[in-house]
Amino acid sequence: MPLRASPFAALPRDAGTHFRLFYFAAVARVYRYLSALAAADGGAPLASEFPFLAGYEAELRACEAAAGATGARGVDATAGAGEGEDVTGGAGGPASDADNVAGNDVGIECGPEWWREEIESWEQEAECHLPLRALASELSLTFEERLALVLAGLVEEDIRFGALFAALQEPLSARRPCLGLLGALAAGTPERGAASAGSWHGAALRLAEEGLLLAENRAAPRAEWVTRVPAVVWDALRGQTPRLAADGLWLHGHDEFPALEELVLDERLREKLARVPEVLEGGHVRAVVLRGMAGGGRRTIMGSLARALGRRLLVFKPRGGPKERDDRNAVEDPWRLAGPVATLARAFPVFSIDPAPGETFELPALAGYRGPVGVVMRREGGAAGEAVRHAVTLELPPPAPAHRREVWTRALGPRVNGALDEIAAGFILPLGHVHRAGHAAAAYAALERREHVAAEDVRAACRTLNRQKLDTLAQRLEAGGGWTDLVLDEITAAGLADLERRCRNRERLLPHLGAGFGNSANRGVRALFDGPSGTGKTLAARVLASVLKTDVYRVDLASVVNKYIGETEKNLSQLLARAEELDVILLVDEGDALLTSRTDVKSANDRYANLETNYLLQRLETYEGVVVVTTNAGNRIDQAFQRRFDVLVSFQPPDAQERLLIWRLHLPAEHSVSRGFLEEAAQQCALTGGQIRNAALYATLLAVDGGRGGQVRDEDAEAAVRREYQKAGASCPLRRRGLAGGHGAALEGFLAELG
């Protein structure tokens, strides 16, 4: 402790005051330089040319004689304003704060050592987080290096310094200080600035290496490099929450996340998480990697860890590695901002990455940061690099039904009423999605003026979840109808009943499996629909989604299969991961294109095609959702795939009785097609269900176009049947109708005689 009281002792101990002390220390250093420059030139001080300096000068000179005394008047926060002007020149700065900067007057003659000693004395009594002090404690920056950083940013606080800097470094027109001027200002005199230019170059370069200072126009001589403090760094230095304009950076406060013991998690995982802060602070490891589904609460868990560490949470979603180019310091690269922001805001930086299967994301050490880091990612891919060289990895398992029920209860509150069991069992979502969907479902119920939330509200809320990535690779089909809308044989109907039963009990089944299953079983359901085209495979998938009260997405194979090596696996990974996280039914139509039998490797194409098949085989083993694969060439599917399917349903073309039922289901209620024609068409025309649907649609079109509405007649139905045969390139077995008079009547009479 100092022998005398600090002149700043009465000031509040907060980050804003600490910044203002450094700010006026920097201004004092600038004014010492200007005074020395005027004395050397034998001219008038620059204050006459730049009137705003008079305000700063008057305040700094106010009590030079009493610089070492206590209890005197201090440096006002509006120093430099002069005759009521704003010190910021409209840009915001110290003048915007009503608090005084100092408890005593200090003059220009108080040298650099006095400022350093008094600021350090004031710091000793401050128990809160001070960003400028964190630079010293965590990055070992000296007082002079921190002062140089503030000197470089004076123009960010008071725009009038820009004109002064431009005048001092002519012929350079930059309004920010160049490296040479920064060294001279920091030294306090032109002579010392020139003598110590090398050391100040080194200090500025170190600030640039830590991401605290950007050096522009690096092709120019080093002394002419223009320096700039990134806006987010300057905000953090002032003790404010940085306005993160850089893509992929999000800063969260302590109060946004629950304590670790309040998390709804598996008990073993929660116990491990409770020990992570101690392990990180003890230096045993420097990183924690959390793997699990997106939307499963990974960010919340990391936020709770940050809270336990006494830090805020800084989430960084990098779109690529750090930029490697000569002018990288001139660009506010998020990689270079994440470290300084984490140090200045006392935050726990967490990388959110999503590497593809077989891909390793390289994570370099963060410049400007020395503390622990976190990584959240899915189960696939890897992370490597300096940042995770010493890391502990934790797996976030799918939530247990009891945990999911608890989160549904918290999210829906009293509005859930008696639908809780149905909602908790029917919507198997990660816990993060449960929380978001619960709040949205309550809003949907309120829109319908209903007091209690129903399952349809939750279904609508689930569609508001982030589905963009899934929508780019698959198309949502309209689910509807019931099993009675399908005309099926007994074997097919029994297979679909088994599939529905398997889907409804996919979670309740797991606790009752024998010990031999180990960890090989999961809640995923894999079904194969095999049968000719038009036999109702896609329709059955839509009905399955309807009875299970969920959505069904059909895969667009054109957007999944890619000619470039590794891209197909990457697309499949995104598709399957997003589908299981959103708990929708994934329909892979004509899936034999992806599940064909592996072949002998005779070319590079064969080898990479086999790699795609092998990846899909492995991924289906761990898939946690419901996937339905349809094919009309089941013999082409690899036997290893068939073994991995839980349910195989065979669809056969309908027989005559089934075709008659399909006709009656698809014709308008007011049709006038004769029973005889329908029976003849069902007996003689071996059409599939899809072809009958198309024929009924075309026959109705003819009736509507003829002005008869839904009054479909025999000739309309006959024309529609013949059209289907023409499309198939086959001859229609129906006898021709509607021939009346002339040669038609004679021909019918002749044929009747022959009969």
Side-chain angles (χ1 to χ4, degrees):
M1 292 292 293
L3 297 178
R4 59 177 178 80
S6 168
F8 306 135
L11 293 180
R13 263 56 175 193
D14 56 38
T17 301
H18 194 223
F19 167 79
R20 291 193 296 276
L21 291 176
F22 266 91
Y23 179 84
F24 278 95
V27 172
R29 195 72 65 96
V30 170
Y31 210 91
R32 287 176 63 86
Y33 172 80
L34 295 177
S35 299
L37 187 64
D41 294 343
L46 284 177
S48 59
E49 186 177 347
F50 298 95
F52 83 95
L53 292 173
Y56 284 109
E57 179 186 9
E59 191 66 31
L60 291 172
R61 285 189 179 278
C63 209
E64 289 180 351
T70 61
R73 190 174 62 86
V75 179
D76 198 319
T78 58
E83 299 180 359
E85 294 177 344
D86 186 351
V87 72
T88 66
S96 62
D97 197 310
D99 293 335
N100 288 343
V101 169
N104 294 85
D105 277 326
V106 290
I108 297 174
E109 300 305 321
C110 296
E113 285 299 313
W114 184 91
W115 278 100
R116 181 184 62 80
E117 290 174 0
E118 295 300 334
I119 291 177
E120 290 178 351
S121 174
W122 178 90
E123 288 176 352
Q124 293 180 18
E125 301 297 326
E127 298 180 357
C128 64
H129 172 69
L130 303 176
L132 279 162
R133 182 171 61 183
L135 295 179
S137 60
E138 299 191 27
L139 302 183
S140 301
L141 293 186
T142 65
F143 179 84
E144 296 297 322
E145 288 171 334
R146 290 180 286 160
L147 188 64
L149 180 62
V150 177
L151 278 167
L154 286 179
V155 68
E156 310 294 338
E157 201 73 10
D158 188 339
I159 62 174
R160 294 171 294 185
F161 277 107
L164 174 63
F165 293 157
L168 290 175
Q169 57 194 9
E170 288 183 349
L172 289 179
S173 60
R175 294 176 59 84
R176 288 186 171 92
C178 64
L179 202 58
L181 177 61
L182 187 61
L185 293 175
T189 63
E191 295 78 9
R192 287 180 59 197
S196 60
S199 62
W200 278 100
H201 290 168
L205 288 176
R206 187 187 173 198
L207 292 174
E209 290 173 356
E210 299 289 3
L212 297 164
L213 196 65
L214 302 182
E216 300 178 350
N217 64 318
R218 295 170 69 93
R222 181 174 293 182
E224 296 183 2
W225 286 1
V226 177
T227 60
R228 175 167 63 90
V229 181
V232 294
V233 171
W234 190 253
D235 289 342
L237 288 173
R238 298 182 88 251
Q240 299 176 342
T241 299
R243 294 182 292 273
L244 296 178
D247 291 340
L249 285 172
W250 292 269
L251 185 62
H252 302 273
H254 302 88
D255 55 351
E256 295 184 37
F257 305 100
L260 282 173
E261 59 271 15
E262 298 174 1
L263 293 174
V264 181
L265 291 173
D266 177 78
E267 190 61 33
R268 293 182 59 187
L269 177 60
R270 185 166 44 226
E271 291 175 358
K272 291 181 180 179
L273 287 171
R275 293 191 291 268
V276 167
E278 180 182 352
V279 172
L280 291 176
E281 291 175 336
H284 303 289
V285 295
R286 291 198 63 249
V288 54
V289 180
L290 182 62
R291 289 179 175 269
M293 291 185 185
R298 300 176 305 179
R299 180 177 61 88
T300 301
I301 292 174
M302 285 299 186
S304 298
L305 279 177
R307 176 175 172 173
L309 291 168
R311 293 173 177 264
R312 303 166 78 180
L313 178 68
L314 179 68
V315 179
F316 178 29
K317 292 186 177 182
R319 297 180 179 177
K323 299 175 182 177
E324 296 293 341
R325 54 189 186 192
D326 292 339
D327 63 339
R328 61 184 180 273
N329 288 331
V331 179
E332 294 194 5
D333 182 0
W335 278 101
R336 303 191 63 79
L337 292 177
V341 170
T343 297
L344 293 170
R346 186 161 178 76
F348 177 47
V350 173
F351 298 96
S352 179
I353 60 176
D354 189 15
E359 181 181 70
T360 299
F361 199 104
E362 192 74 18
L363 295 170
L366 287 180
Y369 181 74
R370 303 291 187 270
V373 300
V375 179
V376 295
M377 57 191 300
R378 288 192 173 98
R379 291 170 293 183
E380 297 178 314
E386 186 64 29
V388 291
R389 189 176 302 278
H390 304 287
V392 59
T393 300
L394 301 176
E395 294 281 346
L396 180 60
H403 294 155
R404 193 171 60 251
R405 179 188 174 90
E406 182 177 348
V407 177
W408 276 119
T409 303
R410 292 184 182 183
L412 295 174
R415 302 182 69 99
V416 68
N417 199 16
L420 178 61
D421 292 337
E422 179 186 1
I423 292 173
F427 297 92
I428 307 176
L429 301 171
L431 296 183
H433 285 340
V434 169
H435 182 76
R436 286 187 287 274
H439 290 288
Y444 276 106
L447 288 175
E448 297 293 333
R449 298 183 180 276
R450 282 187 280 102
E451 182 179 353
H452 301 297
V453 173
E456 55 266 24
D457 299 318
V458 177
R459 191 178 310 110
C462 290
R463 290 172 182 165
T464 65
L465 299 175
N466 184 14
R467 293 189 175 188
Q468 287 83 350
K469 290 185 179 180
L470 181 59
D471 290 335
T472 60
L473 298 172
Q475 173 192 11
R476 186 170 73 88
L477 301 179
E478 196 64 37
W483 296 126
T484 56
D485 297 323
L486 294 175
V487 179
L488 304 168
D489 60 72
E490 293 182 0
I491 297 177
T492 305
L496 291 174
D498 285 341
L499 176 58
E500 180 188 351
R501 189 179 300 112
R502 179 73 168 82
C503 292
R504 290 192 183 279
N505 296 282
R506 58 193 179 113
E507 272 197 322
R508 290 193 289 267
L509 175 67
L510 297 179
H512 303 286
L513 295 176
F517 285 92
N519 295 324
S520 62
N522 59 31
R523 66 186 187 189
V525 179
R526 295 148 284 268
L528 176 64
F529 290 178
D530 180 21
S533 178
T535 52
K537 300 185 296 295
T538 302
L539 180 59
R542 294 169 59 183
V543 172
L544 176 65
S546 177
V547 298
L548 294 177
K549 297 181 180 180
T550 186
D551 286 335
V552 57
Y553 275 77
R554 179 168 56 193
V555 177
D556 181 5
L557 291 181
S559 63
V560 173
V561 179
N562 196 297
K563 66 179 180 180
Y564 294 105
I565 297 172
E567 288 300 310
T568 298
E569 292 93 324
K570 184 176 181 179
N571 291 338
L572 285 170
S573 173
Q574 291 182 356
L575 174 69
L576 294 170
R578 185 63 60 177
E580 68 181 347
E581 290 159 7
L582 297 172
D583 196 41
V584 298
I585 295 178
L586 191 63
L587 173 64
V588 184
D589 235 346
E590 307 299 335
D592 46 277
L594 288 175
L595 297 102
T596 51
S597 299
R598 288 163 288 186
T599 61
D600 295 333
V601 177
K602 298 179 181 178
S603 66
N605 291 337
D606 294 334
R607 180 160 61 93
Y608 291 119
N610 287 346
L611 287 176
E612 294 172 2
T613 302
N614 291 335
Y615 167 74
L616 197 54
L617 278 168
Q618 297 170 6
R619 187 63 180 87
L620 284 178
E621 288 274 13
T622 60
Y623 188 68
E624 298 278 350
V626 179
V627 60
V628 175
V629 179
T630 71
T631 179
N632 54 12
N635 58 332
R636 294 176 53 193
I637 292 182
D638 194 297
Q639 290 296 319
F641 278 112
Q642 294 192 13
R643 180 179 61 81
R644 284 168 170 79
F645 285 112
D646 301 296
V647 181
L648 281 79
V649 182
S650 179
F651 288 75
Q652 301 297 329
D655 58 24
Q657 187 62 31
E658 291 167 349
R659 289 194 291 268
L660 181 60
L661 290 175
I662 296 173
W663 271 111
R664 289 173 175 168
L665 278 174
H666 288 85
L667 284 173
E670 64 272 25
H671 76 87
S672 57
V673 180
S674 65
R675 179 178 179 181
F677 175 82
L678 288 179
E679 291 178 349
E680 180 183 356
Q683 288 287 344
Q684 298 187 18
C685 301
L687 300 175
T688 64
Q691 289 175 314
I692 295 175
R693 177 186 178 278
N694 292 339
L697 177 65
Y698 186 70
T700 307
L701 172 64
L702 293 177
V704 171
D705 186 61
R708 292 176 277 108
Q711 293 289 332
V712 180
R713 300 185 301 198
D714 286 8
E715 53 266 31
D716 300 324
E718 179 184 353
V721 170
R722 294 188 183 280
R723 183 171 178 269
E724 287 302 310
Y725 273 95
Q726 288 173 0
K727 286 163 59 178
S731 59
C732 179
L734 290 177
R735 62 185 180 87
R736 289 195 173 273
R737 288 171 170 76
L739 298 176
H743 296 290
L747 179 59
E748 282 194 346
F750 175 71
L751 292 175
E753 290 293 333
L754 288 178

